[in-house]
Amino acid sequence: MQKKNYARIRNKRPVEMNPWSSYLLGWTTFLLYFYETSGNQKDSCVFPFVYKGSSYFSCIKTNSFSPWCATRAVYNGQWKFCMADDYPRCIFPFIFRGKSHNSCITEGSFLRRLWCSVTSSFDENQQWKYCETNGISSLVPGFPCHFPFSYKNKNYYNCIGKGTKENLTWCATSYNYDRDHTWVYC
């Protein structure tokens, strides 16, 4: 004799659930529980992080449908799902092989893909990421703009197009662009 699965809907008579419905309900419950209890969304991503012997400089999808990152330099079970502002951002200008660069470059890339440093000096830190190639920006959403920022002794509260040959908007990543010269495209 086969056991029947029933579900009650608002005090009405029981409705028989087929095995597929029971299976889906079980997996949905498990996944929701897993999502709610996995990762610590309050901690920040740490880049680079080491996972199973490899170093990662950005969020990854290894063993997951959604991008995630470690919240410790060496993965120890503590992690979080990545949000737009968790991805590392290009920092301009950056130093590579003793030369300053104000945009993404292919120099040094075996595959000739555009890349940038995620710190002001690649030479010192060797932290980098591939640049987005969507034609709009070399960054992911969630830029680390610092508002307001000072540029040529004037405060700006939004991205600006001043000072660029390409007429692309940009913002400073610190309060004082004139002193620090760090920025990102918007």
Side-chain angles (χ1 to χ4, degrees), residues 99-112:
K99 183 180 172 193
S100 181
H101 297 274
N102 290 310
S103 62
C104 296
I105 62 173
T106 57
E107 181 184 348
S109 172
F110 178 73
L111 301 174
R112 306 293 299 158

Side-chain angles (χ1 to χ4, degrees), residues 16-112:
E16 184 176 336
M17 293 178 66
N18 66 36
W20 180 245
S21 298
S22 295
Y23 177 79
L24 284 177
L25 181 61
W27 270 105
T28 302
T29 303
F30 170 75
L31 290 174
L32 286 172
Y33 174 79
F34 178 76
Y35 181 79
E36 292 294 322
T37 60
S38 298
N40 184 348
Q41 298 299 321
K42 294 176 184 160
D43 284 344
S44 297
C45 292
V46 173
F47 297 112
F49 66 90
V50 176
Y51 177 68
K52 293 189 176 181
S54 296
S55 294
Y56 296 93
F57 293 88
S58 188
C59 297
I60 61 174
K61 285 188 173 181
T62 304
N63 299 327
S64 175
F65 291 114
S66 298
W68 65 275
C69 65
T71 57
R72 302 293 182 268
V74 176
Y75 176 78
N76 64 354
Q78 295 180 323
W79 61 279
K80 66 176 269 183
F81 285 114
C82 292
M83 307 308 255
D85 58 349
D86 290 317
Y87 288 86
R89 292 126 187 111
C90 296
I91 300 294
F92 300 113
F94 67 90
I95 306 296
F96 176 65
R97 295 184 180 162
K99 183 180 172 193
S100 181
H101 297 274
N102 290 310
S103 62
C104 296
I105 62 173
T106 57
E107 181 184 348
S109 172
F110 178 73
L111 301 174
R112 306 293 299 158

Side-chain angles (χ1 to χ4, degrees), residues 5-17:
N5 292 317
Y6 292 98
R8 241 182 231 282
I9 302 174
R10 294 190 187 178
N11 297 327
K12 295 187 178 183
R13 65 181 178 81
V15 177
E16 184 176 336
M17 293 178 66

